[in-house]
Amino acid sequence: MITRKRLATGACALLAALAAGLFPTGAAADEPAAKESPKVELVLDVSGSMRARDIDGQSRMAAAKQAFNEVLDAVPEEVQLGIRTLGADYPGQDRQKGCKDTRQLYPVGPLDRTEAKTAVATLAPTGWTPIGPALLGAAEDLKGGDATRRIVLITDGEDTCAPLDPCEVARDIAARGIHLTIDTLGLVPNAKIRQQLTCIAEATGGTYTSVRHTEELSKRVRQLVDRAADPVVTPVAAKGTDRCADAPQLKTGLFTDRETFGQHRWYRVDVLPGQELRASVSVSADRAVNDDYGVLLRAVTVHGREIVRGSEAGDGRTDVISTGLRYPKPPLDDVDGDAKPAAETVCLQVSNSFSAPPGVKTTPGMPIELAVDLVDSPDEASDVAAFGLGRGWWLLAVLVLAGFVGGLLWGWLSRWRVAVWRTN
């Protein structure tokens, strides 16, 4: 006789088997050894100027603490994270002591979120701004091993401990060949601060961002921590042209260029049948610009017919604006087994609508970062496709089947319960 317990057990077993088929968890015996965990150290300015209340109605320090809490909640498990402060302990006027005021608040390693948040909560704006010594200390904190290493510096002012120029410190760190990247975030839109922080970042291949809101700060720091967990390839210089016919031929990779205000730059990519072109572009406003701006990325044929485009626009101060596009080229139905299918040349056009206030230099052009990827089309059984994307129809069919079986079992169970109720 079929009992309720046996029927329920059978239903659970069937659904568990379906789940195991959809989402296998076993690891192959020949998988390569895991890479060393990336290391990130957040360097926070805790100098006296962080008391200023000009970020969303609260002090710079309060905004930084709030952003840190949100970032700590979102740190990927594989990232080893540490926190270093500058200007957090010495409140006096002795320059020699003030310029040594940097310490590691939380050691680089597996993250205990509660412990790290508690350490940050104790901070109060105090002293000087020894950026150079803090960067040297952070480089020591991250030394050892072959892991990806990144320093994220958050500050609201210039270094106050010259002649130890933090830009020279960054260049010295880069010259060591330890592949350590420094990204900088400025909390004050000041030209002199921007120049110093941009120099620090560029010396190590990092980025500079000006942030004026807590949400922007949190979002940008999370992006940089995630980038350490999933590092991008080293950018390669590529000089775009004024027309597609003369444009450089690009393959999969990350490319850098410069583009003046309102300029168009052209690049070429060959796409084979059955491949999908994925491209994105970021334009950095490394100087003061007017409100209302945009960036456009177009894919066109060699004859000028537009295939697809991506665009993004904004209104207000920004440092980076990005957009992207995807172009899947269908596979050929009839191909001679010995013949190699011909590639289609796709022209990529990068345009911007930035303009500058009077007195701002328009040369050299603004930095461009262009990412190009060629993958198997999602229609093909490739490892790029994933459940819900390239194999969406297959997944939908399985889910319909699972729903049908579950409904059937539930119907049997309901009929059995009615039969039992009638006999009683």
Coordinates of all heavy atoms in Angstrom, one line a residue, residues 19-103:
A19 N 17.3 18.3 -9.7 CA 18.2 19.4 -9.3 C 19.7 19.0 -9.4 O 20.5 19.8 -9.9 CB 17.9 19.7 -7.8
A20 N 20.0 17.8 -9.1 CA 21.4 17.3 -9.3 C 21.8 17.3 -10.7 O 22.9 17.7 -11.1 CB 21.6 15.9 -8.7
G21 N 20.9 17.0 -11.6 CA 21.2 17.0 -13.0 C 21.3 18.4 -13.6 O 22.2 18.6 -14.5
L22 N 20.5 19.3 -13.1 CA 20.6 20.7 -13.5 C 21.9 21.4 -13.0 O 22.5 22.2 -13.7 CB 19.4 21.5 -13.1 CG 18.1 21.3 -13.9 CD1 17.0 22.0 -13.2 CD2 18.3 21.9 -15.3
F23 N 22.2 21.2 -11.8 CA 23.3 21.9 -11.1 C 24.3 21.0 -10.5 O 24.4 20.8 -9.3 CB 22.7 22.8 -10.0 CG 21.6 23.7 -10.5 CD1 20.3 23.4 -10.1 CD2 21.8 24.7 -11.4 CE1 19.2 24.2 -10.6 CE2 20.8 25.5 -11.8 CZ 19.5 25.3 -11.4
P24 N 25.1 20.3 -11.3 CA 26.1 19.4 -10.8 C 27.1 20.1 -10.0 O 27.5 21.2 -10.3 CB 26.7 18.8 -12.1 CG 26.5 19.8 -13.2 CD 25.2 20.5 -12.8
T25 N 27.6 19.5 -8.9 CA 28.5 20.1 -8.0 C 29.9 19.4 -7.9 O 30.8 19.9 -7.3 CB 27.9 20.2 -6.6 OG1 27.6 18.9 -6.2 CG2 26.7 21.0 -6.6
G26 N 29.9 18.2 -8.5 CA 31.2 17.5 -8.3 C 32.3 18.1 -9.1 O 32.1 18.6 -10.2
A27 N 33.5 18.1 -8.6 CA 34.7 18.6 -9.2 C 35.4 17.6 -9.9 O 35.6 16.4 -9.5 CB 35.5 19.3 -8.2
A28 N 35.9 17.9 -11.1 CA 36.7 16.9 -11.9 C 38.0 16.7 -11.2 O 38.6 17.6 -10.6 CB 36.9 17.4 -13.3
A29 N 38.5 15.5 -11.3 CA 39.8 15.1 -10.6 C 41.0 15.8 -11.2 O 42.0 16.0 -10.6 CB 40.0 13.6 -10.7
D30 N 40.8 16.2 -12.5 CA 42.0 16.8 -13.2 C 41.9 18.3 -13.2 O 42.5 19.0 -14.1 CB 42.1 16.3 -14.6 CG 40.8 16.5 -15.4 OD1 39.8 16.9 -14.9 OD2 40.9 16.3 -16.7
E31 N 41.1 18.9 -12.4 CA 41.0 20.4 -12.4 C 42.3 21.0 -11.9 O 43.0 20.4 -11.0 CB 39.9 20.9 -11.4 CG 38.5 20.7 -11.9 CD 37.5 21.3 -11.0 OE1 37.9 21.8 -9.9 OE2 36.3 21.4 -11.3
P32 N 42.7 22.1 -12.5 CA 44.0 22.7 -12.1 C 43.9 23.3 -10.7 O 42.9 23.6 -10.2 CB 44.2 23.9 -13.1 CG 42.8 24.2 -13.6 CD 42.1 22.9 -13.6
A33 N 45.1 23.4 -10.1 CA 45.2 23.9 -8.7 C 44.6 25.3 -8.7 O 44.8 26.1 -9.6 CB 46.6 23.8 -8.2
A34 N 44.0 25.7 -7.6 CA 43.4 27.0 -7.4 C 44.5 28.1 -7.4 O 45.6 27.8 -6.8 CB 42.6 27.1 -6.1
K35 N 44.2 29.2 -7.9 CA 45.2 30.3 -7.9 C 45.2 30.9 -6.5 O 44.3 30.8 -5.8 CB 44.8 31.4 -9.0 CG 44.9 30.9 -10.4 CD 44.5 32.1 -11.3 CE 44.6 31.6 -12.8 NZ 44.3 32.7 -13.7
E36 N 46.3 31.6 -6.3 CA 46.5 32.3 -5.0 C 45.5 33.4 -4.9 O 45.2 34.1 -5.8 CB 47.9 32.8 -4.9 CG 48.3 33.4 -3.5 CD 49.7 33.8 -3.4 OE1 50.5 33.5 -4.3 OE2 50.1 34.5 -2.5
S37 N 44.9 33.5 -3.7 CA 43.9 34.5 -3.5 C 44.4 35.9 -3.7 O 45.5 36.3 -3.2 CB 43.3 34.4 -2.1 OG 42.7 33.2 -1.9
P38 N 43.6 36.8 -4.4 CA 44.1 38.2 -4.6 C 44.1 38.9 -3.3 O 43.3 38.6 -2.3 CB 43.0 38.7 -5.5 CG 41.8 37.9 -5.3 CD 42.3 36.5 -5.0
K39 N 45.0 40.0 -3.2 CA 45.1 40.8 -2.0 C 44.7 42.2 -2.3 O 45.1 42.8 -3.3 CB 46.5 40.7 -1.5 CG 47.0 39.3 -1.1 CD 48.5 39.4 -0.6 CE 49.0 38.0 -0.2 NZ 50.4 38.1 0.2
V40 N 44.0 42.8 -1.4 CA 43.5 44.2 -1.5 C 43.7 44.9 -0.1 O 43.4 44.3 0.9 CB 42.1 44.3 -1.9 CG1 41.7 45.8 -2.0 CG2 41.8 43.6 -3.2
E41 N 44.3 46.1 -0.2 CA 44.3 46.9 1.1 C 43.7 48.2 0.8 O 44.0 48.9 -0.1 CB 45.7 47.1 1.6 CG 45.8 47.8 2.9 CD 46.9 47.4 3.8 OE1 48.0 48.0 3.7 OE2 46.7 46.5 4.7
L42 N 42.7 48.5 1.7 CA 42.0 49.8 1.6 C 42.8 50.8 2.5 O 42.9 50.5 3.7 CB 40.5 49.7 2.1 CG 39.7 48.6 1.4 CD1 38.3 48.6 2.0 CD2 39.6 48.9 -0.1
V43 N 43.2 51.9 2.0 CA 43.9 52.9 2.7 C 43.0 54.1 2.9 O 42.7 54.8 1.9 CB 45.2 53.3 2.0 CG1 46.0 54.3 2.8 CG2 46.1 52.1 1.8
L44 N 42.7 54.4 4.2 CA 41.7 55.5 4.4 C 42.3 56.6 5.1 O 43.1 56.5 6.1 CB 40.6 54.9 5.3 CG 39.5 55.9 5.8 CD1 38.8 56.5 4.6 CD2 38.5 55.2 6.7
D45 N 42.1 57.8 4.6 CA 42.5 59.1 5.2 C 41.6 59.4 6.4 O 40.4 59.5 6.3 CB 42.4 60.2 4.1 CG 42.9 61.5 4.6 OD1 43.2 61.7 5.8 OD2 42.9 62.5 3.8
V46 N 42.3 59.5 7.6 CA 41.5 59.9 8.8 C 42.1 61.2 9.4 O 42.1 61.4 10.6 CB 41.6 58.7 9.8 CG1 40.6 58.9 10.9 CG2 41.4 57.4 9.2
S47 N 42.6 62.0 8.5 CA 43.1 63.3 8.9 C 42.0 64.3 9.4 O 40.8 64.0 9.2 CB 43.9 64.0 7.8 OG 43.1 64.2 6.7
G48 N 42.4 65.4 10.0 CA 41.5 66.3 10.6 C 40.5 66.8 9.6 O 39.3 67.1 10.0
S49 N 40.9 67.0 8.4 CA 40.0 67.6 7.4 C 38.8 66.7 7.1 O 37.8 67.1 6.5 CB 40.7 67.9 6.1 OG 41.3 66.7 5.6
M50 N 38.8 65.4 7.5 CA 37.7 64.5 7.2 C 36.5 64.8 8.1 O 35.5 64.2 8.0 CB 38.2 63.1 7.5 CG 39.1 62.5 6.4 SD 38.4 62.2 4.8 CE 37.5 60.7 5.1
R51 N 36.6 65.8 9.0 CA 35.5 66.3 9.8 C 34.5 67.1 9.0 O 33.4 67.3 9.4 CB 36.0 67.1 11.0 CG 36.9 66.4 12.0 CD 37.1 67.3 13.2 NE 38.1 66.8 14.0 CZ 39.4 67.3 14.0 NH1 39.7 68.3 13.2 NH2 40.3 66.8 14.8
A52 N 35.0 67.7 7.9 CA 34.1 68.6 7.1 C 32.8 67.9 6.7 O 32.8 66.7 6.2 CB 34.9 69.0 5.8
R53 N 31.7 68.6 6.8 CA 30.4 68.0 6.5 C 29.9 68.5 5.2 O 29.1 69.5 5.1 CB 29.4 68.4 7.6 CG 29.8 68.1 9.0 CD 28.8 68.5 10.1 NE 27.5 67.8 9.9 CZ 27.2 66.6 10.3 NH1 28.1 65.9 11.1 NH2 26.0 66.0 10.1
D54 N 30.3 67.9 4.1 CA 30.0 68.3 2.8 C 29.6 67.1 1.9 O 29.6 67.3 0.6 CB 31.1 69.2 2.2 CG 32.4 68.5 2.1 OD1 32.5 67.3 2.5 OD2 33.4 69.1 1.7
I55 N 29.4 65.9 2.4 CA 29.0 64.8 1.6 C 27.6 64.3 2.1 O 27.5 63.7 3.1 CB 30.0 63.6 1.7 CG1 31.4 64.1 1.2 CG2 29.5 62.4 0.9 CD1 32.4 63.0 1.1
D56 N 26.6 64.6 1.3 CA 25.2 64.2 1.6 C 24.8 64.6 3.0 O 24.1 63.8 3.7 CB 25.1 62.6 1.4 CG 25.4 62.2 0.0 OD1 25.2 63.0 -0.9 OD2 25.8 61.0 -0.2
G57 N 25.2 65.8 3.4 CA 24.8 66.3 4.7 C 25.5 65.7 5.9 O 25.1 66.0 7.0
Q58 N 26.5 64.9 5.7 CA 27.2 64.3 6.8 C 28.7 64.5 6.6 O 29.2 65.0 5.5 CB 26.9 62.8 6.9 CG 27.3 62.0 5.7 CD 26.9 60.5 5.8 OE1 26.7 60.0 6.9 NE2 26.8 59.8 4.7
S59 N 29.5 64.2 7.6 CA 30.9 64.4 7.5 C 31.6 63.4 6.5 O 31.0 62.4 6.2 CB 31.6 64.2 8.9 OG 31.6 62.9 9.3
R60 N 32.7 63.8 6.0 CA 33.4 62.9 5.1 C 33.8 61.6 5.8 O 33.7 60.5 5.2 CB 34.7 63.6 4.6 CG 34.5 64.9 3.8 CD 35.7 65.6 3.6 NE 35.5 67.0 2.9 CZ 36.4 67.9 2.8 NH1 37.6 67.7 3.2 NH2 36.1 69.1 2.2
M61 N 34.1 61.7 7.1 CA 34.4 60.5 7.8 C 33.2 59.6 7.9 O 33.3 58.3 7.7 CB 34.9 60.8 9.2 CG 35.5 59.7 10.0 SD 37.2 59.2 9.3 CE 36.9 57.6 8.7
A62 N 32.1 60.1 8.2 CA 30.8 59.3 8.3 C 30.5 58.7 7.0 O 30.1 57.5 7.0 CB 29.7 60.2 8.8
A63 N 30.6 59.4 5.9 CA 30.4 58.9 4.6 C 31.3 57.7 4.3 O 30.9 56.7 3.7 CB 30.5 60.0 3.5
A64 N 32.6 57.9 4.6 CA 33.6 56.8 4.4 C 33.3 55.6 5.2 O 33.3 54.5 4.7 CB 35.0 57.3 4.7
K65 N 32.8 55.8 6.5 CA 32.5 54.6 7.3 C 31.3 53.9 6.7 O 31.3 52.6 6.7 CB 32.2 55.1 8.7 CG 33.4 55.5 9.6 CD 33.0 55.8 11.0 CE 34.2 56.2 11.8 NZ 33.9 56.5 13.2
Q66 N 30.3 54.6 6.3 CA 29.1 54.0 5.7 C 29.5 53.2 4.5 O 29.0 52.0 4.3 CB 28.1 55.0 5.4 CG 26.8 54.4 4.8 CD 25.8 55.5 4.5 OE1 25.7 56.6 5.1 NE2 24.9 55.3 3.5
A67 N 30.3 53.8 3.6 CA 30.7 53.1 2.4 C 31.5 51.9 2.7 O 31.4 50.8 2.1 CB 31.5 54.1 1.5
F68 N 32.4 52.0 3.8 CA 33.2 50.8 4.1 C 32.4 49.7 4.6 O 32.6 48.5 4.3 CB 34.2 51.2 5.2 CG 35.6 51.5 4.7 CD1 35.7 52.5 3.7 CD2 36.7 50.9 5.2 CE1 37.0 52.8 3.2 CE2 38.0 51.2 4.8 CZ 38.1 52.2 3.7
N69 N 31.3 49.9 5.4 CA 30.5 48.9 5.9 C 29.8 48.2 4.7 O 29.7 46.9 4.7 CB 29.4 49.4 6.8 CG 30.0 49.8 8.2 OD1 31.0 49.2 8.6 ND2 29.3 50.6 8.9
E70 N 29.3 48.9 3.7 CA 28.7 48.3 2.6 C 29.7 47.5 1.7 O 29.4 46.4 1.2 CB 28.0 49.4 1.7 CG 26.9 50.1 2.4 CD 26.4 51.3 1.6 OE1 26.9 51.5 0.5 OE2 25.5 52.0 2.1
V71 N 30.9 48.0 1.6 CA 31.9 47.3 0.9 C 32.3 46.0 1.6 O 32.4 45.0 0.9 CB 33.2 48.2 0.7 CG1 34.4 47.4 0.2 CG2 32.9 49.4 -0.3
L72 N 32.5 46.1 2.9 CA 32.9 44.9 3.6 C 31.8 43.8 3.5 O 32.1 42.6 3.5 CB 33.1 45.2 5.1 CG 34.3 46.1 5.4 CD1 34.4 46.6 6.8 CD2 35.6 45.4 5.0
D73 N 30.6 44.2 3.4 CA 29.5 43.2 3.3 C 29.6 42.5 1.9 O 29.1 41.3 1.8 CB 28.1 43.8 3.4 CG 27.8 44.1 4.9 OD1 28.3 43.4 5.7 OD2 27.0 45.0 5.1
A74 N 30.2 43.1 0.9 CA 30.1 42.6 -0.4 C 31.5 42.1 -0.9 O 31.6 41.7 -2.1 CB 29.7 43.7 -1.4
V75 N 32.5 42.0 -0.1 CA 33.8 41.5 -0.5 C 33.7 40.0 -0.9 O 33.2 39.2 -0.1 CB 34.8 41.7 0.7 CG1 36.2 41.0 0.3 CG2 35.1 43.2 0.9
P76 N 34.2 39.6 -2.1 CA 34.2 38.2 -2.5 C 34.9 37.4 -1.5 O 36.0 37.8 -0.9 CB 34.8 38.3 -3.9 CG 34.6 39.7 -4.4 CD 34.7 40.5 -3.1
E77 N 34.5 36.2 -1.3 CA 35.1 35.3 -0.3 C 36.6 35.0 -0.6 O 37.4 34.8 0.3 CB 34.3 33.9 -0.2 CG 32.9 34.0 0.3 CD 32.9 34.5 1.8 OE1 33.9 34.2 2.5 OE2 31.9 35.1 2.2
E78 N 36.9 35.0 -1.9 CA 38.3 34.6 -2.3 C 39.3 35.8 -2.1 O 40.5 35.6 -2.2 CB 38.4 34.1 -3.7 CG 38.1 35.2 -4.8 CD 36.6 35.3 -5.1 OE1 35.8 35.0 -4.3 OE2 36.3 35.8 -6.2
V79 N 38.8 37.0 -1.7 CA 39.7 38.1 -1.6 C 40.3 38.2 -0.2 O 39.5 38.1 0.8 CB 39.0 39.4 -2.0 CG1 39.9 40.6 -1.6 CG2 38.6 39.4 -3.4
Q80 N 41.6 38.4 -0.1 CA 42.2 38.7 1.2 C 42.3 40.2 1.3 O 42.9 40.9 0.5 CB 43.6 38.1 1.3 CG 43.7 36.6 1.2 CD 45.1 36.1 1.4 OE1 45.7 36.3 2.4 NE2 45.6 35.4 0.4
L81 N 41.6 40.7 2.3 CA 41.5 42.2 2.4 C 42.1 42.7 3.8 O 42.0 42.1 4.8 CB 40.0 42.6 2.3 CG 39.7 44.1 2.3 CD1 38.8 44.4 1.2 CD2 39.1 44.6 3.6
G82 N 42.7 43.9 3.7 CA 43.2 44.6 4.8 C 42.9 46.0 4.8 O 42.4 46.5 3.8
I83 N 43.0 46.7 5.9 CA 42.7 48.1 6.0 C 43.9 48.8 6.7 O 44.4 48.4 7.7 CB 41.4 48.4 6.8 CG1 40.3 47.6 6.2 CG2 41.1 49.9 6.9 CD1 39.0 47.7 7.1
R84 N 44.3 49.9 6.1 CA 45.4 50.8 6.7 C 44.9 52.2 6.8 O 44.1 52.7 5.9 CB 46.7 50.7 5.8 CG 47.8 51.7 6.3 CD 49.1 51.5 5.5 NE 49.8 50.3 6.1 CZ 50.6 50.3 7.1 NH1 50.9 51.5 7.7 NH2 51.2 49.2 7.5
T85 N 45.3 52.9 7.8 CA 44.9 54.3 8.0 C 46.1 55.2 7.9 O 47.2 54.8 8.0 CB 44.2 54.5 9.4 OG1 45.2 54.2 10.4 CG2 43.0 53.6 9.6
L86 N 45.8 56.5 7.6 CA 46.8 57.5 7.7 C 46.1 58.7 8.4 O 45.0 59.1 8.2 CB 47.3 57.9 6.3 CG 46.2 58.5 5.3 CD1 46.3 60.0 5.3 CD2 46.5 57.9 3.9
G87 N 46.9 59.3 9.4 CA 46.4 60.5 10.1 C 45.4 60.1 11.2 O 44.6 61.0 11.6
A88 N 45.4 58.9 11.7 CA 44.3 58.5 12.6 C 44.7 58.6 14.1 O 43.8 58.6 14.9 CB 44.0 57.0 12.3
D89 N 46.0 58.8 14.4 CA 46.4 58.7 15.8 C 47.0 59.9 16.4 O 46.9 60.2 17.6 CB 47.3 57.5 16.0 CG 46.7 56.2 15.5 OD1 45.6 55.9 16.0 OD2 47.3 55.5 14.7
Y90 N 47.8 60.7 15.7 CA 48.6 61.8 16.2 C 47.9 63.2 16.0 O 47.8 63.6 14.8 CB 50.0 61.8 15.7 CG 50.8 63.0 16.2 CD1 51.2 63.0 17.6 CD2 51.2 64.1 15.4 CE1 51.9 64.1 18.1 CE2 51.9 65.1 15.9 CZ 52.3 65.1 17.2 OH 53.0 66.2 17.7
P91 N 47.4 63.8 17.0 CA 46.6 65.1 16.8 C 47.5 66.4 17.0 O 47.0 67.5 16.8 CB 45.6 65.1 18.0 CG 46.3 64.3 19.1 CD 47.2 63.3 18.4
G92 N 48.8 66.2 17.2 CA 49.6 67.3 17.5 C 50.2 68.0 16.3 O 49.8 67.7 15.2
Q93 N 51.1 69.0 16.5 CA 51.7 69.8 15.5 C 53.1 69.4 15.1 O 53.7 70.1 14.2 CB 51.7 71.3 15.9 CG 50.3 71.8 16.2 CD 49.4 71.8 15.0 OE1 49.8 72.1 13.9 NE2 48.1 71.3 15.2
D94 N 53.7 68.4 15.7 CA 55.0 67.9 15.4 C 55.0 67.2 14.0 O 54.5 66.1 13.9 CB 55.5 67.0 16.5 CG 57.0 66.6 16.3 OD1 57.4 66.5 15.1 OD2 57.7 66.5 17.3
R95 N 55.6 67.9 13.0 CA 55.6 67.4 11.7 C 56.2 66.0 11.6 O 55.7 65.1 10.9 CB 56.3 68.4 10.8 CG 56.3 68.0 9.3 CD 57.2 68.9 8.5 NE 57.2 68.6 7.1 CZ 56.3 69.0 6.2 NH1 55.3 69.8 6.6 NH2 56.3 68.7 5.0
Q96 N 57.3 65.8 12.3 CA 58.0 64.5 12.2 C 57.1 63.4 12.7 O 57.1 62.3 12.1 CB 59.3 64.6 13.0 CG 60.2 63.4 12.8 CD 61.5 63.5 13.5 OE1 61.8 64.5 14.1 NE2 62.4 62.5 13.4
K97 N 56.4 63.6 13.8 CA 55.5 62.6 14.3 C 54.3 62.4 13.4 O 53.8 61.3 13.1 CB 55.1 62.9 15.7 CG 56.2 62.8 16.7 CD 55.7 63.1 18.1 CE 56.8 63.0 19.2 NZ 56.3 63.3 20.5
G98 N 53.8 63.6 12.9 CA 52.6 63.5 12.1 C 52.8 62.7 10.8 O 51.8 62.1 10.3
C99 N 54.0 62.8 10.3 CA 54.3 62.2 9.0 C 54.6 60.7 9.2 O 54.9 60.0 8.2 CB 55.4 62.9 8.3 SG 54.9 64.5 7.6
K100 N 54.6 60.2 10.4 CA 54.8 58.8 10.6 C 53.5 58.1 11.1 O 53.4 56.9 11.4 CB 55.8 58.5 11.7 CG 57.2 58.9 11.3 CD 58.2 58.7 12.5 CE 59.6 59.1 12.1 NZ 60.6 58.9 13.2
D101 N 52.4 58.9 11.0 CA 51.1 58.5 11.5 C 50.3 57.6 10.5 O 49.4 58.1 9.8 CB 50.3 59.7 12.0 CG 49.0 59.3 12.6 OD1 48.8 58.1 12.9 OD2 48.1 60.2 12.9
T102 N 50.8 56.4 10.4 CA 50.1 55.4 9.5 C 50.2 54.1 10.2 O 51.3 53.7 10.7 CB 50.6 55.4 8.1 OG1 49.9 54.4 7.3 CG2 52.1 55.2 8.0
R103 N 49.1 53.3 10.2 CA 49.2 52.0 10.8 C 48.2 51.0 10.1 O 47.2 51.5 9.5 CB 48.9 52.0 12.3 CG 47.5 52.5 12.6 CD 47.3 52.6 14.1 NE 46.1 53.2 14.5 CZ 44.9 52.5 14.7 NH1 44.9 51.2 14.6 NH2 43.8 53.2 15.1

